[in-house]
């Protein structure tokens, strides 16, 4: 939402809604800037929130509503004796504001349109295996924590080492060991903080997201995508320079319509209509998948990470929008007012029990699926996944076929079997 353009696909707050209260940090970055990072976001947002020339208020609170996004208009929120409400969205960006978790490396040499000299982007062009081998040599601890195929995180860790001379894992340990630090990183920047987590029943949320995509199409989504593609992406596609991994082009919804946009006018109306429907269905699926990841992030990062530097998380049920005021607005106001007045909120924060035996960094290789799985919980989820069960079913059928074929031979008759395989040789 920081980028100019694609207002519908990024679900930016309307201009009418922006007039109801001051918003910050919407539509201020050129869409061709591909190296605007979470560090840039943190630096600008922190400056807007905490104007150091004004004395810090003793009872300032940081309230985080995890459902929408904020935009730009004025600045220095604390200086105006106001409470910043951070809404999202991308919870990783919220973490960057709450905790000392990011690492500043060398400044980028180009912040304007066109290619930027960004070491992380350069590293991401390398093969995943080679990237992981490089990281293993300079920071084996971080390499053990990261999946070899997670190219972005591996590249970032290598960038940190190359530009600071210090292993990424060592810097993280230093942050966590600071006074007030904990599992999520360094000290909590705003000690009077709370998180309001808006969550819904999965079926209700899925249906709502599908309706939202339909509403986006009705609001002019296709016209917006066509115009943006014509102005910013058509030449890149023609030169095979399109990049759906950085900047605004990684927005959910843009790459899902790639086939439709590049083929429009060059195929039959029937084919174009099919590609359009394919894009719409893909957008719905990706949106629902992203919502699940957001909820998983809240559970894993905010609820399952005990420590003194994790703000209380209060759950607000939004499955039934007809009960918005009763289930969401009224309890949210009571919680925030309690924090402002220094009272104990009437609601109990959410807590999740921990499994002390769980190993988040265990390594297991699923030979059936040819995948490396990190973490006990991820392994348990993988063994229950459709893809794993499909491979397991196929393996059992193959073994049953081998046993059935074996009953037709003498016990010593092994002719026709490959010694390296459990299946008959064709």
């Amino acid at each position: 939402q920081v980028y100019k353009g694609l207002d519908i696909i990024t679900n930016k707050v309307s201009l009418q809604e922006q007039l109801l209260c001051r918003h910050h940090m919407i539509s201020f970055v050129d869409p061709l800037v591909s190296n605007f990072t979470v560090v840039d976001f943190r630096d600008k947002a922190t400056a807007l929130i905490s104007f150091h020339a004004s004395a810090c208020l003793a009872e300032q609170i940081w309230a985080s509503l995890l459902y929408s996004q904020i935009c730009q208009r004025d600045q220095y929120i604390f200086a105006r004796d106001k409470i910043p409400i951070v809404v999202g969205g991308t919870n990783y960006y919220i973490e960057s504001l709450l905790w000392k978790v990011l690492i500043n490396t060398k400044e980028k040499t180009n912040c304007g349109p066109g290619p930027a000299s960004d070491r992380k982007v350069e590293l991401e062009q390398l093969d995943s295996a080679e990237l992981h081998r490089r990281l293993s040599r300079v920071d084996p601890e971080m390499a053990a924590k990261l999946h070899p195929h997670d190219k972005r995180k591996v590249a970032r860790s290598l960038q940190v080492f190359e530009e600071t001379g210090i292993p990424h894992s060592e810097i993280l340990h230093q942050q966590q060991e600071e006074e007030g630090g904990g599992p999520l990183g360094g000290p909590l920047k705003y000690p009077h903080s709370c998180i309001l987590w808006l969550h819904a029943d999965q079926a209700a949320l899925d249906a709502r997201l599908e309706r939202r995509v339909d509403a986006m199409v009705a609001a002019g989504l296709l016209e917006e995508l066509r115009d943006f593609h014509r102005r910013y992406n058509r030449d890149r596609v023609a030169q095979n320079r399109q990049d759906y991994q950085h900047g605004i082009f990684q927005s959910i919804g843009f790459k899902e319509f790639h086939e439709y946009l590049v083929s429009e006018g060059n195929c039959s109306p029937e084919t174009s209509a099919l590609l359009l429907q394919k894009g719409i269905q893909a957008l719905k699926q990706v949106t629902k998948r992203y919502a699940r990841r957001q909820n998983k992030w809240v559970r894993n990062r905010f609820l399952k990470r005990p420590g003194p530097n994790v703000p209380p998380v209060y759950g607000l049920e939004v499955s039934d929008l007809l009960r918005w005021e009763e289930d969401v607005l009224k309890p949210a106001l009571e919680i925030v007012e309690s924090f402002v007045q220094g009272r104990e909120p009437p609601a109990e924060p959410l807590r999740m029990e921990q499994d002390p035996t769980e190993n988040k960094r265990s390594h297991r290789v699923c030979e059936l699926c040819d995948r490396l799985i990190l973490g006990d919980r991820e392994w348990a989820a993988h063994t229950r996944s459709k893809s794993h069960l499909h491979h397991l079913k196929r393996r059992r059928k193959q073994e049953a076929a081998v046993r059935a074929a074996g009953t037709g031979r003498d016990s010593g008759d092994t002719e026709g079997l490959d010694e390296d395989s459990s299946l008959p040789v064709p």
Side-chain angles (χ1 to χ4, degrees):
Q1 296 199 0
V2 301
Y3 295 95
K4 300 174 185 176
L6 293 183
D7 293 354
I8 298 175
I9 199 68
T10 55
N11 284 285
K12 288 176 182 170
V13 63
S14 69
L15 294 177
Q16 292 79 7
E17 290 172 310
Q18 291 182 40
L19 295 175
L20 299 176
C21 63
R22 294 187 179 186
H23 289 67
H24 304 265
M25 297 184 66
I26 282 187
S27 299
F28 69 96
V29 179
D30 187 287
L32 291 185
V33 171
S34 62
N35 58 346
F36 183 87
T37 68
V38 65
V39 174
D40 299 313
F41 174 86
R42 177 206 61 188
D43 292 346
K44 186 168 184 63
T46 301
L48 287 168
I49 292 162
S50 305
F51 183 46
H52 299 296
S54 68
C56 272
L57 301 176
E59 291 300 323
Q60 287 296 353
I61 153 189
W62 184 275
S64 175
L65 296 177
L66 307 179
Y67 203 60
S68 306
Q69 194 75 6
I70 56 179
C71 57
Q72 162 138 8
R73 180 171 305 169
D74 257 85
Q75 53 188 354
Y76 311 143
I77 298 172
F78 279 175
R80 289 185 281 108
D81 196 14
K82 299 295 182 182
I83 297 173
I85 301 176
V86 180
V87 285
T90 308
N91 300 323
Y92 178 50
Y93 280 58
I94 293 174
E95 282 193 23
S96 75
L97 296 180
L98 286 174
W99 291 279
K100 182 180 177 181
V101 292
L102 299 181
I103 300 168
N104 293 329
T105 54
K106 292 180 181 179
E107 292 186 3
K108 296 181 281 289
T109 59
N110 181 6
C111 293
S117 179
D118 189 322
R119 181 55 179 159
K120 178 173 175 287
V121 175
E122 294 172 357
L123 287 167
E124 287 177 10
Q125 307 308 310
L126 300 176
D127 176 71
S128 297
E130 172 61 21
L131 271 179
H132 200 261
R133 278 194 296 270
R134 290 191 184 188
L135 183 61
S136 298
R137 289 195 292 267
V138 299
D139 192 351
E141 180 180 345
M142 186 58 69
K145 293 180 179 179
L146 299 178
H147 197 288
H149 293 165
D150 196 341
K151 184 180 285 190
R152 279 189 154 190
K153 290 184 179 179
V154 173
R156 173 56 179 166
S157 289
L158 271 174
Q159 178 198 19
V160 169
F161 176 77
E162 290 183 3
E163 298 183 355
T164 67
I166 305 172
H168 194 180
S169 58
E170 183 177 332
I171 297 177
L172 295 179
H173 284 311
Q174 292 172 358
Q175 290 180 345
Q176 294 169 359
E177 291 170 0
E178 291 183 30
E179 184 178 356
L184 284 174
L188 189 64
K189 297 178 188 176
Y190 307 93
H192 300 282
S193 310
C194 71
I195 296 173
L196 305 180
W197 179 27
L198 280 64
H199 58 89
D201 173 77
Q202 193 63 57
L205 179 59
D206 286 347
R208 189 175 300 161
L209 292 175
E210 294 221 2
R211 291 195 299 270
R212 188 175 81 174
V213 171
D214 292 335
M216 290 161 61
V217 174
L221 171 64
L222 300 181
E223 290 74 14
E224 176 181 88
L225 290 173
R226 288 191 192 101
D227 178 65
F228 198 87
H229 179 69
R230 176 181 55 80
R231 289 190 290 137
Y232 296 110
N233 205 42
R234 180 182 290 169
D235 291 342
R236 291 167 173 253
V237 172
Q239 300 172 30
N240 197 29
R241 293 190 300 111
Q242 73 272 23
D243 179 8
Y244 293 128
Q245 301 301 318
H246 300 93
I248 195 171
F249 298 100
Q250 65 182 316
S251 301
I252 290 179
F254 196 73
K255 54 185 172 292
E256 282 72 27
F257 287 91
H258 174 80
E259 288 185 81
Y260 171 74
L261 293 170
V262 299
S263 65
E264 193 174 26
N266 300 317
C267 62
S268 67
E270 294 78 13
T271 300
S272 184
L274 288 174
L275 291 175
L276 173 58
Q277 288 304 312
K278 179 182 177 181
I280 292 174
Q281 292 304 314
L283 176 55
K284 291 180 177 181
Q285 291 301 319
V286 171
T287 301
K288 289 186 286 188
R289 195 179 306 132
Y290 183 62
R292 284 173 167 81
R293 287 205 305 270
Q294 288 177 314
N295 287 331
K296 182 179 179 181
W297 184 290
V298 173
R299 294 187 185 97
N300 290 342
R301 303 288 288 182
F302 296 156
L303 298 179
K304 292 185 176 181
R305 300 290 290 272
N309 64 340
V310 180
V313 180
Y314 297 91
L316 300 172
E317 175 64 46
V318 295
S319 296
D320 186 356
L321 295 182
L322 296 178
R323 293 176 54 87
W324 173 266
E325 292 201 7
E326 181 180 353
D327 291 346
V328 183
L329 182 58
K330 182 179 177 181
L333 289 174
E334 290 176 346
I335 292 168
V336 173
E337 287 174 356
S338 297
F339 269 81
V340 171
Q341 297 169 7
R343 296 184 289 105
E344 194 72 23
E348 284 289 325
L350 297 174
R351 292 183 176 86
M352 298 189 73
E353 292 186 3
Q354 292 291 306
D355 181 0
T357 65
E358 180 185 351
N359 183 356
K360 293 182 172 63
R361 299 302 177 190
S362 64
H363 287 60
R364 293 184 179 89
V365 175
C366 179
E367 296 180 354
L368 277 176
C369 305
D370 191 24
R371 286 186 57 189
L372 171 64
I373 309 296
L374 302 185
D376 292 350
R377 190 184 308 119
E378 287 72 15
W379 174 256
H382 173 73
T383 57
R384 295 192 300 266
S385 67
K386 289 183 179 179
S387 61
H388 177 80
L389 294 176
H390 169 75
H391 285 102
L392 183 61
K393 183 178 180 180
R394 187 171 64 176
R395 165 68 67 85
R396 287 171 176 169
K397 284 185 177 179
Q398 292 172 342
E399 291 174 346
V402 170
R403 287 195 297 270
T407 60
R409 302 188 186 93
D410 293 333
S411 59
D413 184 7
T414 58
E415 185 179 355
L417 282 178
D418 185 343
E419 61 181 3
D420 294 325
S421 172
S422 61
L423 297 178
V425 176

